[in-house]
Amino acid sequence: MRQWPSLVAGLVAGLVLGVVEAGVVVGPVRPVVMVTLTIVAGLAMGVIWGWRRWPAALIAGASVPLRHLMNRLLGLPDNTQPNTFDAVMMMGLFSLAVSAAGYCAGVLMRQAVSDGDV
């Protein structure tokens, strides 16, 4: 049960990423900004929790592609080009890889500054 705070943090980070990517706050956002924010979210989780809380980073990384998938399934307009299931799946795989890379970098940073007890 000690993992709940990290899972909630991953969900909250994912919701923030989804809202920013949807353009609700500042309008359309470039993909490079979303990649940077996803890396930073994963990095922060890795620095805070170490290796054992990796599902939180994957939850955060999966939020944006899941939003696009839901738009596609519900027939809502979406800004993915091309607007196909293949494109959404490729975006999902890329987003998970970016989140995992940020998480691993965060854990390595944590290990570099700790005394080896991570």
Side-chain angles (χ1 to χ4, degrees):
M1 289 299 140
R2 294 184 333 225
Q3 197 168 16
W4 283 108
S6 63
L7 295 177
V8 170
L11 184 62
V12 169
L15 289 174
V16 169
L17 286 171
V19 167
V20 169
E21 200 270 340
V24 173
V25 180
V26 293
V29 179
R30 297 177 51 95
V32 70
V33 173
M34 290 311 302
V35 169
T36 303
L37 290 175
T38 305
I39 288 174
V40 169
L43 185 86
M45 290 176 201
V47 167
I48 293 170
W49 288 301
W51 287 118
R52 294 191 178 140
R53 304 293 193 255
W54 59 268
L58 294 184
I59 289 171
S63 64
V64 172
L66 286 176
R67 186 187 72 78
H68 287 287
L69 180 63
M70 291 307 298
N71 282 351
R72 180 93 173 115
L73 291 174
L74 296 173
L76 299 172
D78 198 17
N79 59 353
T80 305
Q81 295 299 325
N83 192 8
T84 63
F85 285 115
D86 291 342
V88 172
M89 185 173 71
M90 295 306 281
M91 180 194 313
L93 293 173
F94 179 74
S95 184
L96 290 175
V98 166
S99 180
Y103 186 75
C104 290
V107 172
L108 293 176
M109 288 173 60
R110 177 185 169 105
Q111 288 180 339
V113 298
S114 74
D115 56 356
D117 61 348
V118 177

